[in-house]
Amino acid sequence: MRSERSLAEVQVEIRGVSAVVTGGASGLGAATARMLAANGAKVAVLDVNEADAQTVAKEIGGIALTCDVSDAASAEAAVAKAREAHGAARILVNCAGIAPAARIVGRNGPMALDAYAKVIQVNLIGSFNLMRLIAADAMKLDSLESGERGVIISTASVAAYEGQIGQAAYASAKAGIVGLTLPAAREFASSGIRVCAIAPGIFETPMLRGLPQEVQDSLGAAVPYPSRLGKPEEYAQLALAIIQNTMLNGEVIRLDGALRMQPK
């Protein structure tokens, strides 16, 4: 009986709390938006795909906001609208990202520098962009009973550790997320704001679902256990667990079924 009371005492209550999910129109972001809403959060779904964001927001009773995470003005406007609708956010989950494949030097010569910069701009700078805005708002909020004011979760990748050939831009952007997590957690600690990241393996995202079934099966078979592609809901479950457990801070958690990527 005592253990049940202890869990209730330390678990963060998210009912009625304002949350922002980037990349919330599909894949990991949509699953996370649904999970947070199912647990009572007021969710703002941010995405460049306005139509799909509206569909998810309508389903969960949230709001949809068009946002290019790589653009300062776009992100500032979206956060302001979310704040106006739901109040300042205590929860941010960064899921927006792109994953184009290209060798540093391919058949047609070196990779275009703009192509590399685009991946860094969206995946890394985009996550930092929302982090800085949500943290600034959360610092002004009253602390909860636990002393906490908020939690920020970004999406890294196993590619941050075992980037494959053709993933130089993506892997370095995700490695940047890994490197950002601890210093941000240390900086925000005095304000009661936690920062973590999730490093997924191979998941059932819209990009992977577009591949032939035999290719999907082959990718899933490479995972030691369970030998399948990860489900977006499993990412969302981990995001919820991080939000609810105040001792999780400054950590990057692999979610990959013990997968270690090969060079190609």
Side-chain angles (χ1 to χ4, degrees), residues 3-4 16 18 21 33 36 50 64 81 122 124 129-130 145 164 250:
S3 62
E4 291 177 4
S18 175
V21 180
L36 293 177
E50 183 178 3
K81 290 176 183 176
V122 174
L124 177 55
N129 192 13
L130 270 294
E145 210 170 302
Q164 296 183 295

Side-chain angles (χ1 to χ4, degrees), residues 162-206:
E162 301 114 35
Q164 296 183 295
I165 294 170
Q167 285 188 329
Y170 182 74
S172 50
K174 292 305 185 178
I177 295 292
V178 173
L180 173 62
T181 300
L182 183 58
R186 286 172 162 172
E187 178 179 337
F188 300 152
S190 61
S191 298
I193 298 170
R194 294 183 290 118
V195 183
C196 284
I198 299 172
I202 307 173
F203 270 66
E204 287 180 1
T205 60

Side-chain angles (χ1 to χ4, degrees), residues 49-76:
N49 187 327
E50 183 178 3
D52 287 352
Q54 289 284 0
T55 298
V56 174
K58 184 176 180 181
E59 174 193 333
I60 66 174
I63 59 168
L65 298 168
T66 305
C67 179
D68 175 358
V69 297
S70 68
D71 182 80
S74 178
E76 288 162 11

